[in-house]
Amino acid sequence: MHSIKAFVVACAALFAAPAMAQDNHCDRACLGDLVTQYVDAMMAHDPSALPLAEDAEYTEGGRALPMGEGAWQSLTARGTFRHDYLDTTRQVAAAHVDFFEGETPVLISVALHVDDGEISGIETIVHRATPDSPFQPAVLDQPVRGMDAPVPEGMRQSREDMVDIAYRYAEGLRLGNFIDARVPFAPEAYRVENGVITAGEGCRFTPCDPARQRIMVHPGLIPSVVAVDEENGTVLLWMNFGFTDSYGPGNALVTMEAFKIWGGSIHSINAFFDFLPIGRGRGWPSEDPVPRLY
């Protein structure tokens, strides 16, 4: 009798373990709520309001800082712009969000790394659009066209295919030519960078067709996957553009750039970037490895 009872208890524990793990797995609603909590905590200048793991780490522009320092201390107002990229597979809640420090727009890319329902790390890039910034945000009063639109029925792609297309874009930047990199832009492809339309309808450059635009060669570009929102059809890449001697002495352009991908094409792109030391790495490993492109 005792052996039968012990067997039943053991079986119950065995079947209960996956259920408990499932309870600690953040679904889309949970991940989106963590982004909201992060925004609220930033405005309250109080990271303790977040469900942080005991050893949670914080980086700003690839540099490790104590939790609560950096932009945590200086923000004065919340803007209206926010796009979420929710990776339920890798448990990453990422977003582009705008804030202010006085009159200065502050564009923050954030990735919350989640383990067992707690935030184990906060990865950010913070750009202050000071009056001398080359890009002055002009269209952050509205969402990026198409970025949050539902993926049309039957047009959703696998995680692997979405990542492949996003990496083709990175390869186009490296080569200085999106055509040779076989980047599949949709006819209505639209790109916003730091709040400025740089491709598609309403862009400030010519030509506005992203496939035909002249691009600087970035031979040292390093890409890395931050998050893949498989339901919403978005891939968020971290990219250090490497040495080009064009972003200030010793600096490289570093971005978190999101791609809306469905039906085999890129439809919308949104990037928040900053200028950081060339050797500044991401500091967070990607579970979606970079392919050998050359």
Side-chain angles (χ1 to χ4, degrees):
M1 177 65 73
H2 289 295
S3 61
I4 294 176
K5 183 177 180 180
F7 175 76
V8 171
V9 171
C11 287
L14 178 64
F15 285 103
M20 290 175 63
Q22 186 65 32
D23 288 344
N24 290 332
H25 183 89
C26 242
D27 60 12
R28 291 185 63 80
C30 170
L31 292 175
D33 183 59
L34 286 176
V35 175
T36 299
Q37 291 182 56
Y38 162 80
V39 172
D40 292 344
M42 289 291 285
M43 287 310 307
H45 312 289
D46 183 12
S48 69
L50 294 173
L52 296 172
E54 184 175 351
D55 57 350
E57 299 178 357
Y58 175 69
T59 65
E60 198 169 291
R63 187 166 60 102
L65 292 177
M67 195 72 70
E69 293 194 6
W72 283 96
Q73 300 179 340
S74 57
L75 301 178
T76 58
R78 165 80 169 88
T80 59
F81 186 88
R82 171 177 161 182
H83 277 297
D84 291 355
Y85 317 105
L86 308 176
D87 190 333
T88 56
T89 300
R90 305 295 192 214
Q91 291 290 275
V92 177
H96 286 127
V97 190
D98 73 325
F99 296 87
F100 288 88
E101 290 174 352
E103 297 297 318
T104 301
V106 181
L107 313 183
I108 295 184
S109 305
V110 59
L112 307 176
H113 300 268
V114 181
D115 291 306
D116 292 329
E118 293 183 323
I119 298 172
S120 60
I122 302 176
E123 173 185 12
T124 66
I125 296 175
V126 178
H127 176 74
R128 293 168 176 83
T130 56
D132 61 343
S133 296
F135 280 33
Q136 293 297 319
V139 294
L140 294 185
D141 58 341
Q142 56 189 318
V144 172
R145 188 182 310 149
M147 187 62 72
D148 286 338
V151 175
E153 186 174 354
M155 293 293 182
R156 186 177 299 174
Q157 297 187 251
S158 70
R159 182 186 190 96
E160 292 75 18
D161 287 345
M162 291 167 60
V163 168
D164 175 71
I165 289 174
Y167 274 144
R168 282 195 228 170
Y169 184 96
E171 178 68 350
L173 293 171
R174 190 184 71 83
L175 296 174
N177 186 335
F178 286 132
I179 294 175
D180 285 348
R182 299 179 295 111
V183 181
F185 291 110
E188 79 283 5
Y190 179 75
R191 183 178 63 226
V192 177
E193 298 178 273
N194 278 12
V196 176
I197 303 172
T198 58
E201 182 182 348
C203 86
R204 57 182 263 185
F205 304 102
T206 56
C208 285
D209 178 357
R212 295 173 54 229
Q213 289 178 333
R214 295 177 64 87
I215 314 164
M216 182 189 307
V217 174
H218 295 84
L221 184 139
I222 301 170
S224 175
V225 173
V226 177
V228 180
D229 190 328
E230 297 172 64
E231 180 172 326
N232 195 45
T234 47
V235 176
L236 183 66
L237 293 185
W238 173 95
M239 291 187 282
N240 180 319
F241 281 44
F243 176 76
T244 60
D245 201 24
S246 56
Y247 300 119
N251 284 341
L253 186 150
V254 179
T255 181
M256 283 198 198
E257 193 153 349
F259 303 86
K260 181 79 170 190
I261 299 170
W262 53 264
S265 300
I266 296 174
H267 297 262
S268 301
I269 302 169
N270 185 58
F272 280 5
F273 62 79
D274 196 30
F275 306 103
L276 300 171
I278 290 172
R280 187 69 58 81
R282 181 183 167 197
W284 297 86
S286 172
E287 295 187 53
D288 296 272
V290 180
R292 180 70 182 230
L293 299 176
Y294 54 91

